[in-house]
PDB file of all heavy atoms in Angstrom:
ATOM      1  N   GLY A  13       7.957  -5.701   5.134  1.00 92.00           N
ATOM      2  CA  GLY A  13       7.874  -4.414   4.453  1.00 92.00           C
ATOM      3  C   GLY A  13       8.991  -4.146   3.460  1.00 92.00           C
ATOM      4  O   GLY A  13       8.721  -3.805   2.293  1.00 92.00           O
ATOM      5  N   PRO A  14      10.255  -4.273   3.868  1.00 93.00           N
ATOM      6  CA  PRO A  14      11.356  -4.000   2.938  1.00 93.00           C
ATOM      7  C   PRO A  14      11.343  -4.912   1.712  1.00 93.00           C
ATOM      8  O   PRO A  14      11.661  -4.477   0.605  1.00 93.00           O
ATOM      9  CB  PRO A  14      12.606  -4.236   3.795  1.00 93.00           C
ATOM     10  CG  PRO A  14      12.147  -3.977   5.197  1.00 93.00           C
ATOM     11  CD  PRO A  14      10.745  -4.490   5.251  1.00 93.00           C
ATOM     12  N   GLU A  15      10.958  -6.186   1.898  1.00 96.00           N
ATOM     13  CA  GLU A  15      10.931  -7.119   0.772  1.00 96.00           C
ATOM     14  C   GLU A  15       9.784  -6.798  -0.185  1.00 96.00           C
ATOM     15  O   GLU A  15       9.936  -6.875  -1.410  1.00 96.00           O
ATOM     16  CB  GLU A  15      10.804  -8.561   1.283  1.00 96.00           C
ATOM     17  CG  GLU A  15      10.775  -9.632   0.199  1.00 96.00           C
ATOM     18  CD  GLU A  15      12.052  -9.722  -0.633  1.00 96.00           C
ATOM     19  OE1 GLU A  15      13.063  -9.068  -0.282  1.00 96.00           O
ATOM     20  OE2 GLU A  15      12.037 -10.454  -1.637  1.00 96.00           O
ATOM     21  N   ILE A  16       8.625  -6.422   0.362  1.00 97.00           N
ATOM     22  CA  ILE A  16       7.507  -6.005  -0.491  1.00 97.00           C
ATOM     23  C   ILE A  16       7.902  -4.761  -1.285  1.00 97.00           C
ATOM     24  O   ILE A  16       7.620  -4.650  -2.485  1.00 97.00           O
ATOM     25  CB  ILE A  16       6.242  -5.742   0.357  1.00 97.00           C
ATOM     26  CG1 ILE A  16       5.686  -7.065   0.892  1.00 97.00           C
ATOM     27  CG2 ILE A  16       5.177  -5.013  -0.470  1.00 97.00           C
ATOM     28  CD1 ILE A  16       4.477  -6.909   1.803  1.00 97.00           C
ATOM     29  N   ASP A  17       8.577  -3.834  -0.625  1.00 97.00           N
ATOM     30  CA  ASP A  17       9.026  -2.605  -1.284  1.00 97.00           C
ATOM     31  C   ASP A  17       9.985  -2.928  -2.426  1.00 97.00           C
ATOM     32  O   ASP A  17       9.881  -2.386  -3.532  1.00 97.00           O
ATOM     33  CB  ASP A  17       9.699  -1.697  -0.251  1.00 97.00           C
ATOM     34  CG  ASP A  17      10.068  -0.334  -0.827  1.00 97.00           C
ATOM     35  OD1 ASP A  17       9.430   0.098  -1.819  1.00 97.00           O
ATOM     36  OD2 ASP A  17      10.979   0.308  -0.282  1.00 97.00           O
ATOM     37  N   ARG A  18      10.913  -3.837  -2.165  1.00 97.00           N
ATOM     38  CA  ARG A  18      11.896  -4.206  -3.192  1.00 97.00           C
ATOM     39  C   ARG A  18      11.213  -4.856  -4.395  1.00 97.00           C
ATOM     40  O   ARG A  18      11.486  -4.511  -5.549  1.00 97.00           O
ATOM     41  CB  ARG A  18      12.931  -5.174  -2.606  1.00 97.00           C
ATOM     42  CG  ARG A  18      14.069  -5.526  -3.553  1.00 97.00           C
ATOM     43  CD  ARG A  18      14.998  -6.564  -2.962  1.00 97.00           C
ATOM     44  NE  ARG A  18      14.379  -7.889  -2.941  1.00 97.00           N
ATOM     45  CZ  ARG A  18      14.317  -8.703  -4.005  1.00 97.00           C
ATOM     46  NH1 ARG A  18      14.818  -8.312  -5.168  1.00 97.00           N
ATOM     47  NH2 ARG A  18      13.771  -9.894  -3.895  1.00 97.00           N
ATOM     48  N   ARG A  19      10.310  -5.784  -4.121  1.00 97.00           N
ATOM     49  CA  ARG A  19       9.628  -6.492  -5.210  1.00 97.00           C
ATOM     50  C   ARG A  19       8.643  -5.585  -5.940  1.00 97.00           C
ATOM     51  O   ARG A  19       8.387  -5.778  -7.139  1.00 97.00           O
ATOM     52  CB  ARG A  19       8.922  -7.733  -4.668  1.00 97.00           C
ATOM     53  CG  ARG A  19       9.887  -8.838  -4.245  1.00 97.00           C
ATOM     54  CD  ARG A  19       9.161 -10.104  -3.847  1.00 97.00           C
ATOM     55  NE  ARG A  19      10.097 -11.201  -3.614  1.00 97.00           N
ATOM     56  CZ  ARG A  19      10.597 -11.995  -4.564  1.00 97.00           C
ATOM     57  NH1 ARG A  19      10.208 -11.792  -5.837  1.00 97.00           N
ATOM     58  NH2 ARG A  19      11.424 -12.959  -4.279  1.00 97.00           N
ATOM     59  N   ALA A  20       8.092  -4.607  -5.211  1.00 97.00           N
ATOM     60  CA  ALA A  20       7.129  -3.689  -5.832  1.00 97.00           C
ATOM     61  C   ALA A  20       7.755  -2.911  -6.978  1.00 97.00           C
ATOM     62  O   ALA A  20       7.079  -2.558  -7.957  1.00 97.00           O
ATOM     63  CB  ALA A  20       6.571  -2.730  -4.786  1.00 97.00           C
ATOM     64  N   THR A  21       9.049  -2.635  -6.875  1.00 96.00           N
ATOM     65  CA  THR A  21       9.744  -1.891  -7.935  1.00 96.00           C
ATOM     66  C   THR A  21       9.882  -2.723  -9.210  1.00 96.00           C
ATOM     67  O   THR A  21      10.164  -2.191 -10.286  1.00 96.00           O
ATOM     68  CB  THR A  21      11.145  -1.450  -7.474  1.00 96.00           C
ATOM     69  OG1 THR A  21      11.943  -2.621  -7.194  1.00 96.00           O
ATOM     70  CG2 THR A  21      11.065  -0.597  -6.213  1.00 96.00           C
ATOM     71  N   LEU A  22       9.682  -4.048  -9.083  1.00 97.00           N
ATOM     72  CA  LEU A  22       9.837  -4.956 -10.225  1.00 97.00           C
ATOM     73  C   LEU A  22       8.499  -5.383 -10.823  1.00 97.00           C
ATOM     74  O   LEU A  22       8.474  -6.045 -11.859  1.00 97.00           O
ATOM     75  CB  LEU A  22      10.610  -6.218  -9.790  1.00 97.00           C
ATOM     76  CG  LEU A  22      11.964  -5.996  -9.116  1.00 97.00           C
ATOM     77  CD1 LEU A  22      12.510  -7.313  -8.590  1.00 97.00           C
ATOM     78  CD2 LEU A  22      12.938  -5.360 -10.102  1.00 97.00           C
ATOM     79  N   GLY A  23       7.392  -5.009 -10.152  1.00 97.00           N
ATOM     80  CA  GLY A  23       6.086  -5.480 -10.592  1.00 97.00           C
ATOM     81  C   GLY A  23       5.181  -4.385 -11.116  1.00 97.00           C
ATOM     82  O   GLY A  23       5.534  -3.200 -11.130  1.00 97.00           O
ATOM     83  N   ASN A  24       3.989  -4.797 -11.533  1.00 98.00           N
ATOM     84  CA  ASN A  24       2.965  -3.889 -12.052  1.00 98.00           C
ATOM     85  C   ASN A  24       2.006  -3.522 -10.924  1.00 98.00           C
ATOM     86  O   ASN A  24       1.273  -4.386 -10.427  1.00 98.00           O
ATOM     87  CB  ASN A  24       2.199  -4.572 -13.194  1.00 98.00           C
ATOM     88  CG  ASN A  24       1.048  -3.731 -13.717  1.00 98.00           C
ATOM     89  OD1 ASN A  24       0.885  -2.565 -13.346  1.00 98.00           O
ATOM     90  ND2 ASN A  24       0.233  -4.321 -14.575  1.00 98.00           N
ATOM     91  N   PRO A  25       1.974  -2.269 -10.494  1.00 97.00           N
ATOM     92  CA  PRO A  25       1.139  -1.875  -9.359  1.00 97.00           C
ATOM     93  C   PRO A  25      -0.357  -1.967  -9.625  1.00 97.00           C
ATOM     94  O   PRO A  25      -1.161  -1.927  -8.688  1.00 97.00           O
ATOM     95  CB  PRO A  25       1.561  -0.424  -9.103  1.00 97.00           C
ATOM     96  CG  PRO A  25       2.093   0.056 -10.412  1.00 97.00           C
ATOM     97  CD  PRO A  25       2.746  -1.132 -11.028  1.00 97.00           C
ATOM     98  N   LYS A  26      -0.736  -2.094 -10.882  1.00 97.00           N
ATOM     99  CA  LYS A  26      -2.162  -2.165 -11.221  1.00 97.00           C
ATOM    100  C   LYS A  26      -2.564  -3.549 -11.734  1.00 97.00           C
ATOM    101  O   LYS A  26      -3.623  -3.722 -12.339  1.00 97.00           O
ATOM    102  CB  LYS A  26      -2.504  -1.088 -12.247  1.00 97.00           C
ATOM    103  CG  LYS A  26      -2.290   0.325 -11.707  1.00 97.00           C
ATOM    104  CD  LYS A  26      -2.717   1.386 -12.702  1.00 97.00           C
ATOM    105  CE  LYS A  26      -2.496   2.786 -12.126  1.00 97.00           C
ATOM    106  NZ  LYS A  26      -2.882   3.859 -13.058  1.00 97.00           N
ATOM    107  N   ALA A  27      -1.719  -4.536 -11.455  1.00 97.00           N
ATOM    108  CA  ALA A  27      -2.001  -5.902 -11.906  1.00 97.00           C
ATOM    109  C   ALA A  27      -3.223  -6.473 -11.198  1.00 97.00           C
ATOM    110  O   ALA A  27      -4.042  -7.172 -11.804  1.00 97.00           O
ATOM    111  CB  ALA A  27      -0.787  -6.793 -11.677  1.00 97.00           C
ATOM    112  N   PHE A  28      -3.334  -6.192  -9.901  1.00 97.00           N
ATOM    113  CA  PHE A  28      -4.452  -6.698  -9.110  1.00 97.00           C
ATOM    114  C   PHE A  28      -5.055  -5.549  -8.302  1.00 97.00           C
ATOM    115  O   PHE A  28      -4.330  -4.726  -7.763  1.00 97.00           O
ATOM    116  CB  PHE A  28      -3.990  -7.819  -8.169  1.00 97.00           C
ATOM    117  CG  PHE A  28      -3.268  -8.934  -8.883  1.00 97.00           C
ATOM    118  CD1 PHE A  28      -1.881  -9.059  -8.787  1.00 97.00           C
ATOM    119  CD2 PHE A  28      -3.959  -9.840  -9.678  1.00 97.00           C
ATOM    120  CE1 PHE A  28      -1.203 -10.067  -9.449  1.00 97.00           C
ATOM    121  CE2 PHE A  28      -3.288 -10.858 -10.358  1.00 97.00           C
ATOM    122  CZ  PHE A  28      -1.912 -10.968 -10.245  1.00 97.00           C
ATOM    123  N   LYS A  29      -6.366  -5.528  -8.219  1.00 95.00           N
ATOM    124  CA  LYS A  29      -7.044  -4.417  -7.546  1.00 95.00           C
ATOM    125  C   LYS A  29      -7.536  -4.847  -6.170  1.00 95.00           C
ATOM    126  O   LYS A  29      -8.229  -5.851  -6.029  1.00 95.00           O
ATOM    127  CB  LYS A  29      -8.228  -3.933  -8.390  1.00 95.00           C
ATOM    128  CG  LYS A  29      -8.937  -2.707  -7.810  1.00 95.00           C
ATOM    129  CD  LYS A  29     -10.011  -2.211  -8.754  1.00 95.00           C
ATOM    130  CE  LYS A  29     -10.795  -1.046  -8.180  1.00 95.00           C
ATOM    131  NZ  LYS A  29      -9.947   0.116  -7.869  1.00 95.00           N
ATOM    132  N   PHE A  30      -7.143  -4.078  -5.147  1.00 94.00           N
ATOM    133  CA  PHE A  30      -7.621  -4.300  -3.788  1.00 94.00           C
ATOM    134  C   PHE A  30      -8.456  -3.093  -3.370  1.00 94.00           C
ATOM    135  O   PHE A  30      -8.072  -1.947  -3.601  1.00 94.00           O
ATOM    136  CB  PHE A  30      -6.455  -4.485  -2.819  1.00 94.00           C
ATOM    137  CG  PHE A  30      -5.606  -5.693  -3.113  1.00 94.00           C
ATOM    138  CD1 PHE A  30      -4.355  -5.556  -3.706  1.00 94.00           C
ATOM    139  CD2 PHE A  30      -6.072  -6.965  -2.830  1.00 94.00           C
ATOM    140  CE1 PHE A  30      -3.572  -6.661  -3.990  1.00 94.00           C
ATOM    141  CE2 PHE A  30      -5.289  -8.091  -3.114  1.00 94.00           C
ATOM    142  CZ  PHE A  30      -4.050  -7.932  -3.691  1.00 94.00           C
ATOM    143  N   THR A  31      -9.589  -3.369  -2.751  1.00 89.00           N
ATOM    144  CA  THR A  31     -10.479  -2.293  -2.329  1.00 89.00           C
ATOM    145  C   THR A  31      -9.895  -1.536  -1.139  1.00 89.00           C
ATOM    146  O   THR A  31      -9.389  -2.144  -0.192  1.00 89.00           O
ATOM    147  CB  THR A  31     -11.864  -2.857  -1.928  1.00 89.00           C
ATOM    148  OG1 THR A  31     -12.390  -3.583  -3.039  1.00 89.00           O
ATOM    149  CG2 THR A  31     -12.827  -1.737  -1.554  1.00 89.00           C
ATOM    150  N   LYS A  32      -9.979  -0.213  -1.182  1.00 90.00           N
ATOM    151  CA  LYS A  32      -9.533   0.608  -0.053  1.00 90.00           C
ATOM    152  C   LYS A  32     -10.630   0.632   1.017  1.00 90.00           C
ATOM    153  O   LYS A  32     -11.802   0.853   0.685  1.00 90.00           O
ATOM    154  CB  LYS A  32      -9.235   2.040  -0.502  1.00 90.00           C
ATOM    155  CG  LYS A  32      -8.097   2.175  -1.488  1.00 90.00           C
ATOM    156  CD  LYS A  32      -7.941   3.629  -1.921  1.00 90.00           C
ATOM    157  CE  LYS A  32      -6.866   3.789  -2.982  1.00 90.00           C
ATOM    158  NZ  LYS A  32      -6.770   5.195  -3.457  1.00 90.00           N
ATOM    159  N   PRO A  33     -10.276   0.437   2.288  1.00 90.00           N
ATOM    160  CA  PRO A  33     -11.273   0.502   3.358  1.00 90.00           C
ATOM    161  C   PRO A  33     -11.912   1.891   3.421  1.00 90.00           C
ATOM    162  O   PRO A  33     -11.233   2.899   3.241  1.00 90.00           O
ATOM    163  CB  PRO A  33     -10.458   0.220   4.624  1.00 90.00           C
ATOM    164  CG  PRO A  33      -9.230  -0.474   4.141  1.00 90.00           C
ATOM    165  CD  PRO A  33      -8.949   0.101   2.797  1.00 90.00           C
ATOM    166  N   LYS A  34     -13.216   1.936   3.659  1.00 89.00           N
ATOM    167  CA  LYS A  34     -13.918   3.211   3.774  1.00 89.00           C
ATOM    168  C   LYS A  34     -14.005   3.603   5.245  1.00 89.00           C
ATOM    169  O   LYS A  34     -14.732   2.975   6.022  1.00 89.00           O
ATOM    170  CB  LYS A  34     -15.308   3.104   3.148  1.00 89.00           C
ATOM    171  CG  LYS A  34     -15.295   2.968   1.629  1.00 89.00           C
ATOM    172  CD  LYS A  34     -16.708   2.901   1.079  1.00 89.00           C
ATOM    173  CE  LYS A  34     -16.716   2.980  -0.448  1.00 89.00           C
ATOM    174  NZ  LYS A  34     -15.965   1.886  -1.073  1.00 89.00           N
ATOM    175  N   VAL A  35     -13.255   4.618   5.622  1.00 93.00           N
ATOM    176  CA  VAL A  35     -13.239   5.108   7.002  1.00 93.00           C
ATOM    177  C   VAL A  35     -13.470   6.607   6.973  1.00 93.00           C
ATOM    178  O   VAL A  35     -12.790   7.335   6.248  1.00 93.00           O
ATOM    179  CB  VAL A  35     -11.888   4.803   7.694  1.00 93.00           C
ATOM    180  CG1 VAL A  35     -11.932   5.220   9.158  1.00 93.00           C
ATOM    181  CG2 VAL A  35     -11.555   3.322   7.578  1.00 93.00           C
ATOM    182  N   ASP A  36     -14.432   7.073   7.751  1.00 91.00           N
ATOM    183  CA  ASP A  36     -14.769   8.491   7.757  1.00 91.00           C
ATOM    184  C   ASP A  36     -13.630   9.350   8.306  1.00 91.00           C
ATOM    185  O   ASP A  36     -12.842   8.897   9.145  1.00 91.00           O
ATOM    186  CB  ASP A  36     -16.028   8.738   8.592  1.00 91.00           C
ATOM    187  CG  ASP A  36     -17.279   8.159   7.933  1.00 91.00           C
ATOM    188  OD1 ASP A  36     -17.252   7.984   6.700  1.00 91.00           O
ATOM    189  OD2 ASP A  36     -18.251   7.876   8.648  1.00 91.00           O
ATOM    190  N   GLY A  37     -13.592  10.586   7.867  1.00 96.00           N
ATOM    191  CA  GLY A  37     -12.635  11.549   8.403  1.00 96.00           C
ATOM    192  C   GLY A  37     -11.200  11.201   8.081  1.00 96.00           C
ATOM    193  O   GLY A  37     -10.879  10.656   7.020  1.00 96.00           O
ATOM    194  N   LEU A  38     -10.313  11.475   9.033  1.00 97.00           N
ATOM    195  CA  LEU A  38      -8.879  11.299   8.822  1.00 97.00           C
ATOM    196  C   LEU A  38      -8.336  10.013   9.434  1.00 97.00           C
ATOM    197  O   LEU A  38      -7.127   9.791   9.436  1.00 97.00           O
ATOM    198  CB  LEU A  38      -8.128  12.509   9.395  1.00 97.00           C
ATOM    199  CG  LEU A  38      -8.446  13.850   8.728  1.00 97.00           C
ATOM    200  CD1 LEU A  38      -7.740  14.995   9.448  1.00 97.00           C
ATOM    201  CD2 LEU A  38      -8.076  13.838   7.248  1.00 97.00           C
ATOM    202  N   ASN A  39      -9.219   9.178   9.964  1.00 97.00           N
ATOM    203  CA  ASN A  39      -8.766   7.916  10.556  1.00 97.00           C
ATOM    204  C   ASN A  39      -8.472   6.871   9.487  1.00 97.00           C
ATOM    205  O   ASN A  39      -8.948   6.955   8.353  1.00 97.00           O
ATOM    206  CB  ASN A  39      -9.803   7.384  11.545  1.00 97.00           C
ATOM    207  CG  ASN A  39      -9.831   8.183  12.835  1.00 97.00           C
ATOM    208  OD1 ASN A  39      -8.837   8.824  13.199  1.00 97.00           O
ATOM    209  ND2 ASN A  39     -10.945   8.157  13.534  1.00 97.00           N
ATOM    210  N   PHE A  40      -7.689   5.870   9.881  1.00 95.00           N
ATOM    211  CA  PHE A  40      -7.273   4.799   8.986  1.00 95.00           C
ATOM    212  C   PHE A  40      -7.804   3.456   9.483  1.00 95.00           C
ATOM    213  O   PHE A  40      -8.071   3.286  10.672  1.00 95.00           O
ATOM    214  CB  PHE A  40      -5.737   4.688   8.934  1.00 95.00           C
ATOM    215  CG  PHE A  40      -5.029   5.911   8.446  1.00 95.00           C
ATOM    216  CD1 PHE A  40      -4.705   6.943   9.322  1.00 95.00           C
ATOM    217  CD2 PHE A  40      -4.646   6.029   7.123  1.00 95.00           C
ATOM    218  CE1 PHE A  40      -4.026   8.070   8.890  1.00 95.00           C
ATOM    219  CE2 PHE A  40      -3.964   7.151   6.673  1.00 95.00           C
ATOM    220  CZ  PHE A  40      -3.655   8.171   7.558  1.00 95.00           C
TER     221      PHE A  40
END
């Protein structure tokens, strides 16, 4: 997690698209 967070500040957040899971209500 911390390394992804660090590298995320250096990259383009919209470079690659990942689909968000579809879950009803407030569950994840």
Side-chain angles (χ1 to χ4, degrees):
E15 180 63 9
I16 289 177
D17 186 24
R18 185 184 73 81
R19 289 186 173 276
T21 62
L22 306 173
N24 176 8
K26 297 184 180 179
F28 306 105
K29 184 175 177 60
F30 297 105
T31 303
K32 296 177 184 177
K34 291 181 171 60
V35 185
D36 291 337
L38 297 175
N39 287 336
F40 300 86

